[in-house]
Amino acid sequence: MALAGRDVLSVFDLSDSEIREVMDLADQMARHVRGKTDICSGKVMAALFYEPSTRTRLSFESAMQRLGGDVITCADISSSSVAKGETLADTVRIVESYADVIVMRHPLEGSAVLGADYARAPVVNAGDGAHEHPTQTLLDLYTLRKEHGSIEGAWVMLVGDLKYGRAAHSFAYGLARFKANVVCVAPQGLEMERQTLRRLERQYGCKPRQFNTLEQVMKDDDLLAAAADKSAEDTKTRAMALFDAIYVTRVQKERFPSAEAFEKAKSSYAVDLRVLKEVRADTLVMHPLPRVDELDYGIDTDLRAAYFRQAAYGVPVRMALITAILGGAGKPVGEEGWLGRQLPAADWSGRCANPNCVTAKETYAEPRFVREADGEPVLCYYCERPVENADG
Ligand code: NCD
């Protein structure tokens, strides 16, 4: 597969056919999730997690073990040389001499790009701050394809913290690229940010409808009309019956600038039995997990609650991804992949003002800026946030 030796830093690093190939391969890997193969025997995966993780880390580690490969990991990054002030650039350059692939999670936006720029071994982004989480998207798309039957034309509602939720950002890009219909429901202040919406529109012509509450969705005449167009009799009277999947996310407490702002946003939405009454008998309720209180425990036994199955798909999907990446040697440099690398450099000098950009902490990183097109904002190459006042 063409993914051999490549970084996966963003969903933009994968072509449509590569995503399909990973999903097809995951179907085959599903047979091996209880056993052990020798597909990656002799290979080592390093798990470099600077942020808490249960599913992503353990499913990556399980995937590599099932493939017959080995895993090295820092149980707690604060017990590594990071505590002595080692930079990210140095850490990845050391770790790559111990491993064939580096899976990395970090609280700062653009950290995976920075890591990949220094490492010759392929780097997989397992979540970089509020920015992206591309491997979660692979398993989310896989869940939709497997359980709903298709991604194309599906109606998917993204509910929750769409400002800070990296899983929701990457999933929105994945859905838009496979021509799903995306509707956003986010409490006030946690709406999807302009740069994400702009990218959805520029890249895929996708302009999601935006709501602040589920009640607004239930009362929306256009969605009701679209629901009525679907064939089944029971979809005619409820706007929520339009949706094939509801993708719920938690409020990302750790990314809020203040405890006060978090208190205001938390507990402002929940999917419970009352919501399940509004959707169809085959609508999927998805969630990247962990949940806090936005998914009622009362719906767990309903077959529509897909989130535990979704988390389980993380193993075959990550087995497929690791296999594809380790299937060859050498990391091609050039036009492909990370969108920032494909965009022309912007004529702007200064530093990125985003306090959560990796360049704010890793100050040796050379500031770089790109622009999608003339008249478009200048973006930081690492965190992809627009640079305020770059044009005046
Ligand atoms: C997500 C993450 O870390 O972004 N979790 C996960 O990887 N399954 C979602 C979240 O933490 O809310």
Side-chain angles (χ1 to χ4, degrees):
M1 206 188 279
L3 261 175
R6 289 234 309 268
D7 300 318
V8 177
L9 311 176
S10 146
V11 271
F12 291 99
D13 279 311
L14 302 164
S15 69
D16 296 5
S17 60
E18 283 163 353
I19 293 177
R20 285 201 194 92
E21 279 176 63
V22 168
M23 292 195 283
D24 292 346
L25 191 54
D27 279 336
Q28 296 172 37
M29 293 298 177
R31 277 185 257 130
H32 303 295
V33 295
R34 290 283 162 222
K36 197 144 179 142
T37 67
D38 58 4
I39 297 168
C40 288
S41 117
K43 300 281 186 187
V44 175
M45 180 191 95
L48 208 52
F49 278 61
Y50 291 76
E51 246 193 3
S53 171
T54 303
R55 273 150 295 275
T56 304
R57 181 181 194 141
L58 293 183
S59 65
F60 259 114
E61 294 189 3
S62 171
M64 190 57 172
Q65 309 252 15
R66 302 284 184 199
L67 291 168
D70 291 300
V71 177
I72 54 171
T73 184
C74 265
D76 172 10
I77 203 83
S78 61
S79 68
S80 75
S81 283
V82 169
K84 303 181 194 164
E86 184 161 73
T87 62
L88 185 55
D90 282 356
T91 303
V92 297
R93 283 184 290 194
I94 298 306
V95 171
E96 74 167 355
S97 56
Y98 308 150
D100 303 290
V101 56
I102 300 174
V103 177
M104 191 182 130
R105 169 172 288 190
H106 195 284
L108 295 176
E109 299 162 19
S111 49
V113 185
L114 180 85
D117 279 351
Y118 282 91
R120 277 162 305 159
V123 172
V124 178
N125 181 7
D128 62 327
H131 185 225
E132 277 222 45
H133 193 351
T135 69
Q136 179 68 40
T137 294
L138 288 175
L139 74 95
D140 294 341
L141 292 173
Y142 183 78
T143 304
L144 195 57
R145 185 175 92 158
K146 191 166 175 70
E147 302 224 352
H148 171 61
S150 61
I151 305 167
E152 285 81 2
W155 279 87
V156 181
M157 187 196 296
L158 303 178
V159 188
D161 180 350
L162 306 185
K163 177 182 167 85
Y164 296 114
R166 58 192 173 199
H169 298 158
S170 294
F171 193 36
Y173 296 139
L175 289 169
R177 100 139 60 156
F178 287 108
K179 312 252 171 315
N181 302 287
V182 182
V183 170
C184 295
V185 183
Q188 223 160 29
L190 297 184
E191 293 97 342
M192 198 169 263
E193 289 190 301
R194 238 168 11 136
Q195 77 251 16
T196 314
L197 292 168
R198 190 188 289 126
R199 180 155 287 183
L200 282 171
E201 191 178 352
R202 268 191 68 80
Q203 297 288 325
Y204 307 115
C206 170
K207 283 167 85 166
R209 295 275 313 272
Q210 313 252 17
F211 299 90
N212 288 121
T213 64
L214 287 167
E215 287 65 33
Q216 288 169 356
V217 176
M218 292 177 197
K219 289 194 201 122
D220 189 79
D221 287 339
D222 293 339
L223 294 180
L224 181 63
D229 274 350
K230 284 204 166 188
S231 50
E233 196 49 43
D234 74 333
T235 67
K236 303 242 184 277
T237 53
R238 304 187 317 273
M240 293 283 280
L242 176 62
F243 293 96
D244 300 300
I246 300 185
Y247 187 90
V248 193
T249 60
R250 77 183 163 97
V251 177
Q252 306 279 301
K253 182 178 183 185
E254 67 275 34
R255 314 231 184 271
F256 274 69
S258 72
E260 241 182 331
F262 168 70
E263 284 303 316
K264 252 209 217 140
K266 72 167 198 194
S267 310
S268 54
Y269 57 94
V271 171
D272 51 18
L273 287 171
R274 182 186 60 92
V275 175
L276 281 202
K277 283 210 181 79
E278 295 288 323
V279 300
R280 293 195 317 265
D282 61 350
T283 301
L284 300 170
V285 179
M286 297 170 62
H287 193 305
L289 302 176
R291 68 172 140 188
V292 186
D293 47 18
E294 66 284 348
L295 273 186
D296 192 283
Y297 275 68
I299 68 169
D300 287 355
T301 51
D302 192 297
L303 274 181
R304 291 172 287 185
Y307 31 90
F308 294 122
R309 300 192 297 276
Q310 178 186 354
Y313 296 139
V315 175
V317 168
R318 291 182 167 120
M319 285 173 82
L321 183 70
I322 296 168
T323 300
I325 292 173
L326 292 181
K331 179 162 158 178
V333 272
E335 313 277 282
E336 295 235 319
W338 175 248
L339 200 61
R341 291 200 182 120
Q342 303 169 46
L343 297 176
D347 185 19
W348 195 76
S349 57
R351 291 201 73 85
C352 176
N354 171 14
N356 298 317
C357 177
V358 69
T359 58
K361 176 158 180 291
E362 308 283 330
T363 47
Y364 54 87
E366 180 204 347
R368 289 171 67 180
F369 300 92
V370 294
R371 201 194 284 265
E372 286 187 68
D374 283 349
E376 292 285 331
V378 171
L379 306 176
C380 169
Y381 163 80
Y382 299 94
C383 70
E384 299 189 302
R385 286 191 181 264
V387 175
E388 303 294 341
N389 302 323
D391 295 310

